[in-house]
Amino acid sequence: MSTEINERYRLFIDGETVASSNEEYQETENPATEETIARFATATSEDVDRAVEAARRVLPEWQQKQPTERGKALERLADAVRDDAETLVEIETLDQGKPLSASQRAVEGLARTLEYYAGAADKLEGKSIPSGNDTIDFTVREPYGVSAQIIPWNAPLNLMGQGTAPALVAGNTVVIKPAPTTPLSAIHLARLIEEVNIPDGVINVVTGGAEPGAALSGHEGVDTVSFTGSVPTGEAVMKSAAETITPVTLELGGKNPAIVMPDADLDEAVTSIQIGIFANTGQICAAADRAIVHESIYDEFVERIVQRAESYTLGPGIEDPDIGPLNHAEHYEKVLNYIDLGIEEGATVETGGEPLDREGYFVEPTVFSDVENDMRIAQEEIFGPVLCVIPFSDREEAIRIANDIELGLTGGVFSRDVKQALSMAREIDAGSIYVNQWFGGAMGAPFGGFKKSGIGREMGLEAFDSYLQTKNISVNLAER
Ligand code: NAD
């Protein structure tokens, strides 16, 4: 093993690694073995104060830099990420549970995200507004200031990059708080910052759970909050940010519908939905959670997806299986409880449904048939490898089922009829729609939720709306 992971990780504040004010540490474990792999500092609200103070102090210096200088700093960070890829990959796999190849894609994705936003640095233009010959009226886009980045545990590196990169390029400084079950890659990334000549205080990392998270989202010195996580915590973040009228970007949960029309290429639909629900062991907000399948092809769809589910290899991420364990004990219990609930509600387990008889938080890929959309397993985000297959008889019913839910993150349609697929894409209430595929969308494509799935967009140039505020300047040119 190349990584010296079994150590104490400290906070990263103002360019230095420091202990938390109470000098307390907590443990993070490998979800494949349930063994502790490292200890990390538990940040207090005092530590959050220090991090926010450092981020505020350096704001003028960071904002006075030419935009391309900020872009170049991100390019250097992308190079450092690639140079250190082996270590980052291993850390992400041991801490999160992902297969090595998925962590490799995550690390490359982080580097690409940094480069994408680096290239946008000198293109963040305002506009001019026609207002007659005696006035010039134009807008400039200015950074908010200190950006809080609160990250979940399902894709720590990618989600950190998606928020942090546009924030920094736009001239904000950041305080990052990773999730308490996956803190290591953020702390390791902070170490690379020291190598790439980004001023002290521009990027700070505070680790711990809800306490530093809440301290950050309600902090007087924070100017904008980007939160990715569950709906209940999103509500708490929004409430605490309301106290200081701080804008929030919320990327929350999904329970996403994948509609399979009778004319679909069934193999394409099965392959896409299989990847959509089982990749990352189902711990993806954009997952294909509800397959809504026409009754004429329902049995065949179930038969085929069951075969695929049964073909998966499960194992420790470090052995690069198809899928790894769930991330932590509490989540493992939650997923198993949902499987029990589905059985109680009258759905049929076609395959899976059991934990693996070994150490680690492994749950078999599970397919439920006979699911009705008002069952809790169809309405609530399970965030595990559990597919609900729901039948429908006509197009209107498919759309009604798809939209009869409080969430609206992603959705999909499988049909060979392009008119039908595109008009249904317009009818599904969700922020991203995939047609004849799943997880589509380039890096430049905006991503975010309708309804309770969130507020604002990440990715693409639209992400800058969370990090730049518009100032309008109007100039009187009239001679007196
Ligand atoms: P979570 O809400 O429990 O925690 C997210 C983060 O918030 C963690 O860092 C946590 O420590 C912190 N936190 C906890 N309590 C807090 C509080 N009171 N104030 C401020 N911060 C607090 O979510 P999770 O279980 O870590 O992540 C899974 C959820 O994230 C799922 O619902 C998933 O759909 C969602 N998610 C959404 C997207 C998206 O882009 N829409 C992407 C990935 C994950």
Side-chain angles (χ1 to χ4, degrees), residues 265-399:
D265 175 335
L266 200 54
D267 196 53
E268 183 174 68
V270 169
T271 303
S272 304
I273 292 172
Q274 161 208 335
I275 295 167
I277 187 63
F278 299 132
N280 208 34
T281 321
Q283 301 164 115
I284 301 184
C285 54
D289 307 281
R290 292 180 295 149
I292 301 171
V293 183
H294 191 262
E295 57 195 12
S296 64
I297 49 169
Y298 186 87
D299 290 345
E300 196 181 347
F301 177 90
V302 170
E303 196 181 309
R304 287 205 205 182
I305 199 116
V306 162
Q307 272 175 14
R308 302 289 181 88
E310 289 174 352
S311 72
Y312 274 75
T313 57
L314 276 72
I318 210 78
E319 293 169 13
D320 204 24
D322 293 332
I323 53 174
L326 294 166
N327 177 250
H328 53 272
E330 194 188 326
H331 186 55
Y332 170 75
E333 292 302 329
K334 177 183 149 183
V335 171
L336 291 174
N337 285 339
Y338 268 115
I339 293 172
D340 289 345
L341 175 69
I343 296 166
E344 276 167 36
E345 287 183 305
T348 305
V349 176
E350 295 283 349
T351 187
E354 298 289 336
L356 290 197
D357 185 16
R358 54 158 293 164
E359 77 279 9
Y361 307 124
F362 294 92
V363 174
E364 292 173 339
T366 300
V367 176
F368 272 116
S369 66
D370 302 322
V371 178
E372 288 171 22
N373 198 49
D374 59 1
M375 291 178 179
R376 281 182 57 200
I377 55 162
Q379 289 289 318
E380 297 174 19
E381 186 184 44
I382 299 174
F383 219 53
V386 181
L387 178 69
C388 294
V389 193
I390 305 171
F392 73 89
S393 56
D394 60 36
R395 175 184 157 152
E396 286 64 39
E397 188 186 16
I399 294 291

Side-chain angles (χ1 to χ4, degrees), residues 22 24 42-46 48 177 207-217:
N22 59 10
E24 281 182 12
T42 305
T44 60
S45 50
E46 209 176 292
V48 170
K177 199 210 73 73
T207 47
E211 188 194 330
L216 198 51
S217 62

Side-chain angles (χ1 to χ4, degrees), residues 20 30 32 34 46 53 69 72-73 186 227 246 342 388 398 420 473:
S20 56
N30 178 348
E34 301 174 43
E46 209 176 292
E53 220 169 89
E69 265 187 82
K72 280 184 187 145
F227 170 83
T246 302
C388 294
Q420 169 172 265
I473 300 178

